[in-house]
Amino acid sequence: MSNYNKLLNNLEFLKLDKIRNYLPNYLETIASKDIPFVDAMLDLTEKEIEFKNERASKIQVAVSAFPFEKGLEDFNFDYQPSINKKQIYDLATLRFLENKENILFYGNSGVGKTHLAVSLGIVAAKKRYITYFISCHDLITQLNKAHSENRLEAKLKHYAKYKILIIDEIGYLPIDKQGANLLFQLIAKRYEKNSTIITTNQMFSKWGEVFSDPVIANALLDRLIHHSHIIKIKGTSYRIKDKIDISETPDSTGKR
Ligand SMILES: Nc1ncnc2c1ncn2[C@@H]1O[C@H](COP(=O)(O)OP(=O)(O)O)[C@@H](O)[C@H]1O
Ligand SMILES: [Mg+2]
């Protein structure tokens, strides 16, 4: 076997796929342009690193379990003027994550809470922060299951480790005392350690009812709100945007 083929095998063995792919053409360039060895190695290794980083980002986005992949660039801020666009883009710098702050999106159904939460999650996942999206209902189901199987502590640790945990739709379904208690334990574990993003359609003053227990609801809110960014969205649902437009547009007879 030629040294050239041995080298290709070595690159394959070391899983340096990009370098291996580039090498055949690259060798010609090096020769024709008289590129120094160090520069060539630097260039090749940078290509490999870039490729590996991109792949790791894609994997992190995929395992984050987002319900859809929509970015901030897909969000129409003109439609929802109560949202401070600058504040959202500021959050996308992820300083909140470094500071272990939370984000609470509050507003009616369809105003874009989940979209914005997901968009910020995607920014973090692309930067390879371990991120996870789950609905409040599914999260409590998982915690209940773990509790009944005597492995609650491990499950709490599992959910506590995410740099960003997005808990979607708190308050859409009532939560019983046991569920409230389990959720509280998780939020208490994450408090000042990692960032949590929540979306809710319920005013915080109503959380006592949602959680079937005002004391737990208060304790939980306390930990969520301390060091947090609260985004209140006042507006109409984006889901019925076109329907509203249609109903407000007079037809050819001039009637609505
Ligand atoms: N301002 C907006 N610009 C673009 N798409 C939006 C906007 N607001 C909501 N959407 C889209 O409308 C749908 C409902 O939004 P979603 O974020 O799920 O609402 P919520 O979580 O507040 O109920 C999603 O498909 C979302 O991408
Ligand atoms: Mg939602």
Side-chain angles (χ1 to χ4, degrees):
M1 195 193 286
S2 70
N3 276 352
Y4 175 68
N5 280 327
K6 279 188 195 163
L7 173 60
L8 290 182
N9 282 349
N10 284 357
L11 291 171
E12 208 168 304
F13 179 77
L14 293 168
K15 296 194 168 49
L16 297 170
D17 301 342
K18 270 289 137 180
I19 296 184
R20 193 199 177 285
N21 289 345
Y22 273 112
L23 198 68
N25 284 336
Y26 206 77
L27 286 174
E28 284 173 27
T29 316
I30 292 173
S32 63
K33 292 196 180 157
D34 210 10
I35 296 173
F37 179 74
V38 169
D39 292 6
M41 277 305 278
L42 179 65
D43 200 14
L44 283 172
T45 49
E46 272 177 354
K47 283 198 168 76
E48 184 72 39
I49 289 170
E50 193 185 323
F51 169 72
K52 284 202 159 58
N53 280 342
E54 257 173 43
R55 191 175 53 185
S57 295
K58 279 195 189 130
I59 291 171
Q60 185 51 59
V61 171
V63 298
S64 298
F66 298 119
F68 47 76
E69 280 180 32
K70 290 189 188 178
L72 290 180
E73 68 282 2
D74 301 313
F75 196 82
N76 181 354
F77 285 90
D78 292 336
Y79 183 76
Q80 220 55 268
S82 70
I83 301 174
N84 179 346
K85 182 175 176 180
K86 194 174 160 289
Q87 184 186 16
I88 303 294
Y89 272 87
D90 198 45
L91 291 171
T93 63
L94 303 183
R95 227 184 9 257
F96 79 93
L97 187 152
E98 301 298 336
N99 297 339
K100 294 146 193 3
E101 292 158 352
N102 301 325
I103 305 175
L104 286 66
F105 288 103
Y106 161 72
N108 286 334
S109 181
V111 295
K113 304 181 296 295
T114 302
H115 184 136
L116 291 173
V118 165
S119 300
L120 293 174
I122 289 175
V123 172
K126 280 190 174 161
K127 292 195 176 152
R128 297 164 61 190
Y129 288 105
I130 51 166
T131 303
Y132 195 66
F133 179 103
I134 190 165
S135 75
C136 181
H137 179 74
D138 287 352
L139 177 61
I140 290 176
T141 304
Q142 290 297 320
L143 293 176
N144 261 319
K145 187 162 173 280
H147 181 61
S148 66
E149 290 167 358
N150 248 335
R151 45 181 191 86
L152 178 63
E153 202 45 43
K155 202 70 177 173
L156 286 171
K157 265 200 191 131
H158 168 81
Y159 286 121
K161 74 167 195 278
Y162 290 106
K163 281 279 165 205
I164 296 186
L165 182 67
I166 303 174
I167 307 175
D168 194 40
E169 300 197 337
I170 295 186
Y172 280 74
L173 297 171
I175 300 165
D176 65 13
K177 271 198 182 193
Q178 156 103 345
N181 198 310
L182 294 172
L183 192 62
F184 170 75
Q185 288 188 54
L186 176 60
I187 297 301
K189 257 200 164 41
R190 295 184 57 80
Y191 176 63
E192 293 186 334
K193 292 213 174 65
N194 283 314
S195 293
T196 305
I197 300 180
I198 67 118
T199 77
T200 183
N201 63 338
Q202 297 286 348
M203 281 189 303
F204 300 138
S205 57
K206 290 267 168 64
W207 278 35
E209 290 165 38
V210 171
F211 284 89
S212 331
D213 186 328
V215 178
I216 293 186
N218 260 335
L220 196 145
L221 262 179
D222 213 43
R223 282 159 184 78
L224 277 178
I225 291 177
H226 191 205
H227 320 301
S228 75
H229 303 263
I230 298 174
I231 318 280
K232 284 188 191 155
I233 311 176
K234 287 187 219 118
T236 48
S237 168
Y238 197 81
R239 290 194 187 96
I240 58 167
K241 169 176 79 76
D242 297 330
K243 296 205 178 70
I244 288 173
D245 287 352
I246 288 164
S247 69
E248 281 176 1
T249 308
D251 64 20
S252 55
T253 61
K255 284 187 271 177
R256 276 181 189 252

